[in-house]
Amino acid sequence: MFIEKQLGQDRKWINIDSDMIAENSYLYKKYEIDKETIEYAMDKNERAHMDYNRENGTITFIYNVLDLEKDKEYYETIPMTFIVQDTRLVTISNQDNAYIIEQMVRYLESHGELSIYKLLFAGLEMISNAYYPIIDRLDKHKDELNRLLRKTTTTKNLYALSDLETGMVYLVAAAKQNRMLLEHIKAHAIYRRMNDIEKEQFDDAMIEARQLASMTELISNVLQQLSGSYNNILNNNLNDNLTTLTIFEALLAVLAVITGFFGMNIPLPMTKDPNAWIYVSVCSFILWLILGKVMRWIVKQR
């Protein structure tokens, strides 16, 4: 959607929907948006960063926004473009991050006059806040998967844990990039030109970005620990199964040796005793028990 809002004192906020407006649209020329910036806005894999044009003083911010709709088995992020010009704030959005634009519209309507940087940093704070409900949901999903895996380590639950871990990798990377962008802004000369209100809003956005980065990293580390633990459990179970099969193989080998011995076509002891098979069976059973105990003891001592 195309939006044009007054911020007060000849300042404007313009939003351009890149899904509805082509790259060669006159709107980009009208609002003095160069080709490089358009390419940034159209690239859904663009990382968060800041680009300062010394010639005209235009500053472009690319910020990672959470895509609330899962196209895969996990959540991903999509970049959103903010362009700060002399008297304008231009945002380039799409259908995946349009919910942030709606929040910014409501924020503007409830606050009246705003400076460009005040609205910009308020928008960045909204982006960080949009992550929290999803992060909480993923954290609860992690706890639920952990509970299910403790009961039965099924392939389905392991795949779900893997998808959750993969999604958190994307969120951790996005949160770190957003935090680094704000740290870059604070070290830039534009920060020193801001007034107290703008700096206060910037600090709020920075706090949320740092908190988000810490939360996502913590959950990601926990998921890595869980994944590693269940991998170890599966490996131990496999080793136990192989050990059990080896013991059975050894016990069956004893039976094969005994039956093979008495199956030879030569005179052997007890061949004429009608109860010989009972003696052989009892001796074999006792030998199995002894060998089984010995092998189990050897395995436990390792």
Side-chain angles (χ1 to χ4, degrees), residues 190-231:
I190 60 173
Y191 180 79
R192 293 187 289 273
R193 296 199 297 265
M194 297 178 191
N195 58 39
D196 292 339
I197 296 176
E198 292 169 342
K199 287 182 178 179
E200 182 180 356
Q201 185 63 61
F202 172 85
D203 291 339
D204 292 341
M206 175 65 85
I207 290 171
E208 296 299 330
R210 285 175 173 170
Q211 182 177 346
L212 177 62
S214 299
M215 288 179 62
T216 53
E217 187 171 9
L218 175 61
I219 296 176
S220 180
N221 290 338
V222 172
L223 285 171
Q224 289 178 6
Q225 291 290 336
L226 285 177
S227 180
S229 297
Y230 285 114
N231 282 335

Side-chain angles (χ1 to χ4, degrees), residues 174-192:
K176 284 185 176 180
Q177 289 176 12
N178 288 349
R179 185 198 63 197
M180 291 173 63
L181 170 60
L182 291 175
E183 290 173 349
H184 187 193
I185 293 174
K186 192 169 186 178
H188 200 274
I190 60 173
Y191 180 79
R192 293 187 289 273

Side-chain angles (χ1 to χ4, degrees), residues 13-16 18 33 36-43 46 49 59-65 78-84 89-94 97 101 104 120 124 127:
W13 168 39
I14 309 296
N15 179 69
I16 301 174
S18 61
I33 303 174
E36 183 180 6
T37 303
I38 297 173
E39 291 176 353
Y40 286 155
M42 297 297 177
D43 186 1
E46 188 67 34
H49 69 278
I59 308 174
T60 302
F61 302 95
I62 309 294
Y63 211 72
N64 292 315
V65 180
I78 188 166
M80 184 172 176
T81 305
F82 297 83
I83 305 170
V84 176
L89 171 64
V90 181
T91 55
I92 303 177
S93 63
N94 54 48
N97 52 34
I101 301 300
M104 292 176 67
L120 168 65
L124 300 187
I127 291 173

Side-chain angles (χ1 to χ4, degrees), residues 41-57:
M42 297 297 177
D43 186 1
K44 293 189 176 183
N45 296 316
E46 188 67 34
R47 64 179 181 83
H49 69 278
M50 181 182 81
D51 185 45
Y52 178 63
N53 190 326
R54 294 182 180 274
E55 296 180 359
N56 54 22

Side-chain angles (χ1 to χ4, degrees), residues 64-92:
N64 292 315
V65 180
L66 180 65
D67 186 355
L68 299 180
E69 299 294 331
K70 290 196 296 184
D71 294 332
K72 302 177 182 178
E73 297 299 325
Y74 45 82
Y75 288 97
E76 293 182 309
T77 60
I78 188 166
M80 184 172 176
T81 305
F82 297 83
I83 305 170
V84 176
Q85 299 173 338
D86 186 25
T87 59
R88 281 194 301 259
L89 171 64
V90 181
T91 55
I92 303 177

Side-chain angles (χ1 to χ4, degrees), residues 134-250:
I134 302 301
I135 295 296
D136 290 338
R137 191 183 308 168
L138 294 178
D139 191 34
K140 292 178 181 177
H141 186 39
K142 174 204 62 159
D143 294 337
E144 178 66 16
L145 281 176
N146 187 29
R147 185 183 65 81
L148 293 174
L149 286 168
R150 281 179 176 273
K151 291 183 177 180
T152 52
T153 308
T154 62
T155 303
K156 179 182 178 181
N157 291 335
L158 288 174
Y159 275 130
L161 182 64
S162 175
D163 291 335
L164 188 58
E165 187 176 4
T166 301
M168 284 307 304
V169 170
Y170 286 106
L171 297 186
V172 168
K176 284 185 176 180
Q177 289 176 12
N178 288 349
R179 185 198 63 197
M180 291 173 63
L181 170 60
L182 291 175
E183 290 173 349
H184 187 193
I185 293 174
K186 192 169 186 178
H188 200 274
I190 60 173
Y191 180 79
R192 293 187 289 273
R193 296 199 297 265
M194 297 178 191
N195 58 39
D196 292 339
I197 296 176
E198 292 169 342
K199 287 182 178 179
E200 182 180 356
Q201 185 63 61
F202 172 85
D203 291 339
D204 292 341
M206 175 65 85
I207 290 171
E208 296 299 330
R210 285 175 173 170
Q211 182 177 346
L212 177 62
S214 299
M215 288 179 62
T216 53
E217 187 171 9
L218 175 61
I219 296 176
S220 180
N221 290 338
V222 172
L223 285 171
Q224 289 178 6
Q225 291 290 336
L226 285 177
S227 180
S229 297
Y230 285 114
N231 282 335
N232 291 335
I233 291 173
L234 290 175
N235 289 333
N236 289 336
N237 290 340
L238 178 61
N239 290 336
D240 291 342
N241 291 337
L242 290 175
T243 300
T244 302
L245 291 174
T246 302
I247 292 174
F248 273 116
E249 184 180 2

